[in-house]
Amino acid sequence: MYYPILRTIKYKSESIITTLGDGVNTYGTPLSIKPSEARKALNLSSRKLPALCVRQGRTGFASSITTPNAMGERNNERLHVQDGTVWKYWNGSLWIDIQTGLTSAKGKILDFVRGTDRKTILMNGTDKYSWDGTTITSLTQAPSTNKFTVHKGRVYALVGTTIKFSALNNIDDWTTVNDAGEINITNAKGSGTAITTYGGYVIAFTEYSMHLLYGTGPTNYELVEVPGNIGCISDKSVIICNNTLYFVSFDGIYAFKGGEPVKISHKVDEYFKNMNLAYKTSIVAGTVDNDLYIAIPSTASSTGNDLIIRYDVLEDKWYPENGYIVDFVTIGNKLYGVDKDGKIWDMVSGTNDDGTAISWYWESAPRFVKPSAKQTLSCLWVTYDLPTGSTLDIYISNSFDNEDWELVDSLTADANEQNKKVLIPIYKTNDIVWYRIKFVGTGQCTIHSLEEKYRIRE
């Protein structure tokens, strides 16, 4: 009689503990990102790295305005806005009008300082005014533009592809020969889009080029083109954070420290590829501490900024946030943003958004991929903190990228739960070559780690 030889099947068990706080990464294929990175995420932050953590809240500041056309500050103390046709500032309890009867158009507000003399300038493409804290002055000789900067005793304005500059220490004078004047950008690539000051010189941008203006006046100016075809698409996307100049181009965010600009936004390129470029000039940037905020029209159907991309410049990590921000300004150590409806926000304050719990999610790429063998996920543990009132839902998918998520657990805190560990039901994860996990929540939450235990045939 023949007795078949039965082969003994051996399994080995492995355990992987992963933190999940490294932000979002849309670059390349889902298989190319780290297990600690999300393929999609919203409203998370780096403040408790390496843990996954919900961002801080936002608090309403000042009284709402009606039509947010410009936002700036004076002397790093007072918030200034152009609200519709009115230039005004917040005195701590109410808005004080500076100038009425303006054209309702997008503008820019900057300080011009020489010694103890300080003048706050507003230009919106039609109106051109300065204010010394008492008296408003019409800058009748200044060009009609909303793209300008201040540098070493002069105001520089970009009109088309021409840089115009005021007389030294006299922002009212734009005509005196051999003092005020203009410089044509002879090798401009596209229309003029932005102007700023950085590293001791003025920088002018077109859509596809970048030009450095060295010198202090007509006798020693030298305009130098930066090699390449990299330009800027929005004047208010240009900002300095941690001594580096950042700006938004057609394909993403660039950093400049001298030499040539370097693209830094590869991990979030998907958001920039999908932008509605018809609204590209609405893009604005803000900064506080080590965080860079860029508000963009994130989809082809967006009619204005509807997403904020926050970049931790020290950790090199990216965190998308919700928000319809149309302008930013930093005063002291506070970042303020005004949304499309005129509500002004303290962008980093508290644990909720003016009383509304923060909705967030984190979605993984395919995990523990091993196409040559099927595996069984035997245990899945999550260690987390969930304050009272917050919720946490956990979803599992066995597909590579389909929207076939199945809810496997819902958690609601009855008390502030610290370092709680929960075993996730895993009935969907037998004989798989990969799986994905998604966390969805409302309110504050910290996920310290995800521990995956699985068996595989030897």
Side-chain angles (χ1 to χ4, degrees):
M1 181 177 291
Y2 171 72
Y3 294 96
I5 299 175
L6 299 178
R7 182 169 62 91
T8 301
I9 300 176
K10 295 182 179 180
Y11 291 87
K12 65 177 180 179
S13 296
E14 294 187 17
S15 178
I16 301 173
I17 299 177
T18 310
T19 56
L20 306 176
D22 284 342
V24 71
N25 187 349
T26 66
Y27 185 69
T29 71
L31 300 181
S32 65
I33 74 173
K34 298 188 296 185
S36 57
E37 295 175 325
R39 194 60 177 176
K40 300 177 184 177
L42 186 70
N43 286 333
L44 303 175
S45 80
S46 59
R47 61 195 177 98
K48 293 186 179 180
L49 282 175
L52 178 158
C53 178
V54 177
R55 67 165 171 82
Q56 287 182 262
R58 302 170 188 163
T59 304
F61 177 81
S63 300
S64 294
I65 60 178
T66 303
T67 307
N69 282 325
M71 187 161 71
E73 51 82 19
R74 176 178 170 85
N75 198 28
N76 201 28
E77 294 175 346
R78 297 292 191 191
L79 178 67
H80 282 236
V81 298
Q82 182 185 333
D83 181 9
T85 61
V86 181
W87 178 8
K88 54 191 179 182
Y89 74 93
W90 182 252
N91 74 352
S93 57
L94 53 88
W95 291 106
I96 305 297
D97 289 356
I98 297 173
Q99 181 67 30
T100 62
L102 303 176
T103 300
S104 184
K106 295 297 182 182
K108 191 174 182 179
I109 300 171
L110 292 176
D111 269 4
F112 177 89
V113 182
R114 296 301 294 168
T116 59
D117 180 30
R118 179 180 299 272
K119 294 180 180 179
T120 304
I121 301 170
L122 181 146
M123 294 185 182
N124 62 19
T126 301
D127 304 298
K128 306 158 289 184
Y129 286 99
S130 71
W131 184 64
D132 64 5
T134 303
T135 304
I136 189 82
T137 301
S138 178
L139 304 175
T140 57
Q141 295 183 10
S144 296
T145 181
N146 59 6
K147 302 176 183 68
F148 71 98
T149 190
V150 295
H151 180 60
K152 294 185 177 180
R154 299 181 192 271
V155 179
Y156 294 81
L158 185 63
V159 182
T161 56
T162 299
I163 302 169
K164 297 178 180 286
F165 52 92
S166 70
L168 183 64
N169 298 327
N170 188 352
I171 65 174
D172 301 320
D173 182 357
W174 293 75
T175 59
T176 297
V177 177
N178 296 325
D179 195 356
E182 63 182 43
I183 301 169
N184 291 320
I185 303 174
T186 56
N187 199 26
K189 299 174 183 176
S191 60
T193 53
I195 190 167
T196 192
T197 303
Y198 175 75
Y201 41 82
V202 172
I203 302 177
F205 292 89
T206 71
E207 292 178 301
Y208 298 100
S209 60
M210 182 177 181
H211 308 264
L212 312 184
L213 180 62
Y214 295 95
T216 57
T219 60
N220 62 1
Y221 280 140
E222 180 184 10
L223 188 63
V224 177
E225 181 184 357
V226 176
N229 297 308
I230 299 167
C232 177
I233 59 176
S234 174
D235 182 64
K236 288 190 177 181
S237 76
V238 185
I239 198 164
I240 296 172
C241 181
N242 268 22
N243 300 315
T244 300
L245 183 74
Y246 296 92
F247 60 92
V248 178
S249 189
F250 279 101
D251 62 338
I253 303 173
Y254 283 77
F256 178 76
K257 295 183 179 180
E260 295 185 25
V262 176
K263 186 178 177 182
I264 62 166
S265 59
H266 297 89
K267 289 185 177 181
V268 288
D269 270 355
E270 201 65 27
Y271 298 100
F272 292 94
K273 289 177 182 177
N274 294 330
M275 281 195 306
N276 186 349
L277 292 177
Y279 293 87
K280 61 183 181 296
T281 58
S282 70
I283 297 171
V284 294
T287 181
V288 64
D289 298 326
N290 297 311
D291 286 331
L292 171 69
Y293 292 71
I294 305 284
I296 65 171
S298 64
T299 71
S301 60
S302 299
T303 57
N305 299 336
D306 55 9
L307 186 73
I308 300 166
I309 307 293
R310 184 170 55 82
Y311 177 52
D312 185 324
V313 301
L314 294 185
E315 298 290 345
D316 187 28
K317 302 184 191 306
W318 300 88
Y319 301 90
E321 299 183 0
N322 69 312
Y324 297 87
I325 301 299
V326 298
D327 217 340
F328 287 112
V329 68
T330 302
I331 302 177
N333 63 346
K334 289 286 188 179
L335 175 65
Y336 299 100
V338 61
D339 67 23
K340 62 182 179 61
D341 297 319
K343 184 176 178 64
I344 298 171
W345 296 91
D346 179 344
M347 294 297 295
V348 185
S349 176
T351 58
N352 55 55
D353 289 346
D354 227 16
T356 300
I358 300 168
S359 297
W360 62 274
Y361 63 86
W362 185 98
E363 181 180 316
S364 80
R367 301 178 70 83
F368 68 92
V369 177
K370 191 167 289 187
S372 62
K374 287 188 175 181
Q375 306 155 94
T376 296
L377 187 64
S378 56
C379 289
L380 191 61
W381 292 90
V382 177
T383 304
Y384 65 93
D385 298 341
L386 196 66
T388 304
S390 295
T391 65
L392 175 60
D393 292 334
I394 303 171
Y395 296 80
I396 295 290
S397 166
N398 288 347
S399 69
F400 190 81
D401 58 4
N402 293 332
E403 291 299 318
D404 57 349
W405 298 100
E406 184 170 338
L407 180 67
V408 294
D409 210 349
S410 291
L411 306 170
T412 302
D414 296 324
N416 288 341
E417 298 177 325
Q418 300 294 319
N419 299 324
K420 186 175 178 63
K421 193 173 184 180
V422 63
L423 178 63
I424 300 172
I426 52 169
Y427 55 86
K428 284 180 63 69
T429 54
N430 292 321
D431 291 332
I432 58 174
V433 292
W434 52 57
Y435 86 101
R436 293 179 298 143
I437 187 167
K438 179 165 72 171
F439 299 98
V440 180
T442 58
Q444 290 296 314
C445 178
T446 302
I447 297 179
H448 296 282
S449 64
L450 176 68
E451 182 177 358
E452 300 153 310
K453 291 185 177 181
Y454 64 95
R455 293 182 296 115
I456 186 170
R457 291 184 182 184
E458 291 186 314

